[in-house]
Amino acid sequence: MELMGSTLTATYARPKTSHFLPAISTMASSYRNPQPAMAMNPSANMWRTNTYFKSSSTVPTPSSMQRDNLDLVRAKTMFYPSNRTALSTRYTPDDWYKSNISNYRESEASRNSAERLRRDTIRLMQDRDQLTRRTQESTSKNIGERLNDVVFWRSELSHEIDNMLTEIAALTDVKRRLERALAETEGPLQVSQECLYHREKRMSIDLVHDDVEKDLIREVEVIKSCQERMRRHLDRAIAQLASNRAAQHELERDIGDKVTAQRIDDRCHHLRNTSDGIGYYRGIERLDPSLSLPDSWSKFTDDNILHSQSERASSHKLRDEIEILLNTTSNEMWNQFNNANVAFTNRISETADAKNSLQTHLAKTLQEIFQTEMLIESLKKALRDKECPLKVAQTRLEERTRRPNVELCRDNPHHRLVSEVREIEDTIHRLQERLMEAENTLQTLVKTKVTLEHDLSIKANSIFLDQEKCMSMRKSFPSMPRLVGYT
């Protein structure tokens, strides 16, 4: 720290002017003494000085009077006006007093200036030290407050992320239930269509538009209507999940920035004058890399949280709608299923009398038909069992196409997956051929039965279609928990 902050002359740093003695040329005594100066020895000069400034109030003593007389004799014998040619110009006592007083004052003024400079400098150093310490403490306090704000918003973001993750998990679970419920409707729809298809095989007079057919047509319409509503809600759930994950991504990116900012501010908050790693960064105070203000900074996070809350509210509302939809569709399908079963039961009871007289004659044929039906069901089950492995293999292939850059390698797993898909597709093709062969065999048996006994086949075929075909398939109708998506 420089002691003098300016090159201007301060009060305590003014140029020192000597007032030790007045100028000789301006002294009045030099004009009053025209005698030439003479050499003056030190003893004589001291005698004149001591005797000249003697106080007149002093009471003379015998010894002092003797000494004065001796000095007077010596002066009379040594100094005569004729011998004063070498004597320098004399000052007056008034000049001598003024010179001393001027020196005293100059000395006192110099001391006062030095003392004032010392006091001012010490006070300046103390004030500046206190100001620096207060400024540093204020800055640390501001950083601490900023750190508290960051911690607060980080906790809010963390809480909102937890809520969003919970909501995403809940919506995902409902979406899976909806997908399972939608998949479960394929079986009843196929059964209803199969029932309609099989009942079209009724012959002659038995081919009537009865209550069973009406209920089956209504059942197909109900199931398709339920499927359409499920698909719409499934699309909405997929879109809502995308929105939720987008909001989650924004929250996670924001909290990631908050974590970084908290780490930096925490380090800055704990920096002290004795800390390691501190240094000079010239001109850093003129650099302003800021991208936001405190208001816009807090508003950005608040907007992210509000957006996430809005998406969670929409997601929660959609989940409630899906729950209501699942319960509604399951009740509708189950009620219509029961109505169709009642109609089937009534229709079968009406045609049961026509079957009694022909039961023994057609036993073997019906037994073969039944075995063929079991084979068809086994083949269908085998085909359904091959769907999941095929999906797994194709999904693996599709997922592996997303490998980045050079990782998209045609490696051994790729060749094995391709081979696996081809093997499963070949198996499905062969099973389908066998299924078609089994159905053709069943049709051949039915035709053979019709050929053997036309009248018997009409009644037997009607009973077979309603009871054996339709009712046997309808036994596999999903239960209520499966219709709402529970396994």
Side-chain angles (χ1 to χ4, degrees), residues 85-99:
T85 56
L87 188 64
S88 61
T89 303
R90 301 294 181 178
Y91 296 102
T92 64
D94 187 41
D95 293 335
W96 186 83
Y97 278 114
K98 290 181 179 179
S99 177

Side-chain angles (χ1 to χ4, degrees), residues 141-417:
K141 181 180 178 181
N142 291 336
I143 294 177
E145 293 174 354
R146 175 67 175 183
L147 192 59
N148 292 333
D149 293 340
V150 173
V151 171
F152 169 76
W153 284 113
R154 178 185 174 184
S155 63
E156 291 294 321
L157 287 171
S158 178
H159 179 68
E160 183 60 30
I161 288 175
D162 292 340
N163 292 337
M164 178 56 75
L165 290 176
T166 303
E167 180 61 32
I168 289 176
L171 183 60
T172 303
D173 183 65
V174 172
K175 171 178 165 291
R176 289 173 181 171
R177 285 178 52 200
L178 183 60
E179 290 175 344
R180 287 195 294 265
L182 181 60
E184 288 293 337
T185 59
E186 292 296 332
L189 178 62
Q190 184 176 3
V191 168
S192 300
Q193 291 175 344
E194 286 290 331
C195 288
L196 289 173
Y197 170 74
H198 287 302
R199 284 181 62 81
E200 290 296 324
K201 299 175 183 178
R202 292 174 299 168
M203 297 175 295
S204 187
I205 194 63
D206 285 353
L207 191 61
V208 295
H209 187 61
D210 53 3
D211 293 336
V212 176
E213 187 173 357
K214 293 178 182 178
D215 286 332
L216 287 175
I217 293 174
R218 192 177 300 111
E219 185 175 86
V220 171
E221 293 175 353
V222 169
I223 293 175
K224 288 185 176 180
S225 175
C226 293
Q227 286 181 340
E228 182 63 26
R229 283 180 289 171
M230 288 181 179
R231 290 191 183 96
R232 287 200 302 265
H233 282 76
L234 182 59
D235 294 337
R236 290 179 57 191
I238 294 173
Q240 186 63 51
L241 276 175
S243 300
N244 290 352
R245 290 193 178 97
Q248 175 193 354
H249 175 71
E250 292 297 328
L251 293 175
E252 290 176 346
R253 185 174 64 177
D254 196 358
I255 198 174
D257 295 341
K258 292 290 186 297
V259 170
T260 303
Q262 180 182 354
R263 184 175 65 253
I264 294 174
D265 284 346
D266 184 68
R267 181 177 180 276
C268 293
H269 186 254
H270 288 87
L271 280 179
R272 297 294 182 267
N273 295 333
T274 58
S275 300
D276 297 333
I278 59 176
Y280 291 104
Y281 297 92
R282 299 294 184 184
I284 191 63
E285 69 278 359
R286 295 190 295 271
L287 180 63
D288 187 12
S290 303
L291 297 179
S292 63
L293 297 176
D295 292 339
S296 61
W297 172 79
S298 58
K299 185 177 183 299
F300 176 78
T301 303
D302 190 46
D303 290 343
N304 286 338
I305 294 176
L306 290 177
H307 177 67
S308 176
Q309 291 174 349
S310 175
E311 294 297 338
R312 283 197 297 112
S314 300
S315 179
H316 188 274
K317 181 180 178 181
L318 180 59
R319 285 195 293 113
D320 293 340
E321 293 178 359
I322 292 175
E323 289 287 350
I324 296 173
L325 175 67
L326 289 175
N327 293 326
T328 303
T329 53
S330 62
N331 289 330
E332 291 177 359
M333 289 187 290
W334 188 258
N335 292 334
Q336 186 59 39
F337 169 75
N338 291 331
N339 295 334
N341 286 344
V342 171
F344 264 110
T345 302
N346 295 332
R347 182 61 179 173
I348 291 173
S349 64
E350 290 175 357
T351 57
D353 295 338
K355 187 183 77 169
N356 293 331
S357 60
L358 302 173
Q359 186 69 38
T360 304
H361 200 65
L362 298 176
K364 293 182 181 180
T365 304
L366 291 176
Q367 182 65 29
E368 189 64 29
I369 292 175
F370 180 78
Q371 295 296 332
T372 305
E373 289 175 353
M374 293 298 102
L375 177 61
I376 291 174
E377 290 299 323
S378 299
L379 289 173
K380 289 180 180 180
K381 184 178 182 302
L383 288 173
R384 288 195 298 269
D385 293 339
K386 295 299 181 294
E387 291 177 358
C388 290
L390 180 60
K391 290 179 181 178
V392 170
Q394 291 180 347
T395 303
R396 287 176 175 175
L397 281 174
E398 195 275 335
E399 288 291 336
R400 286 175 59 84
T401 59
R402 301 179 184 177
R403 292 175 296 171
N405 300 326
V406 74
E407 296 298 327
L408 195 62
C409 179
R410 187 177 295 174
D411 48 7
N412 290 332
H414 177 78
H415 293 296
R416 190 66 190 93
L417 285 172

Side-chain angles (χ1 to χ4, degrees), residues 48-61 64 68 97:
R48 285 186 59 82
T49 303
N50 293 331
T51 58
Y52 191 80
F53 292 102
K54 289 290 184 180
S55 175
S56 60
S57 63
T58 305
V59 179
T61 61
S64 62
D68 291 343
Y97 278 114

Side-chain angles (χ1 to χ4, degrees), residues 125-137:
M125 290 188 296
Q126 292 175 350
D127 293 343
R128 289 300 171 178
D129 184 63
Q130 293 176 0
L131 178 62
T132 302
R133 187 162 50 251
R134 287 195 303 268
T135 303
Q136 190 178 74
E137 291 174 355

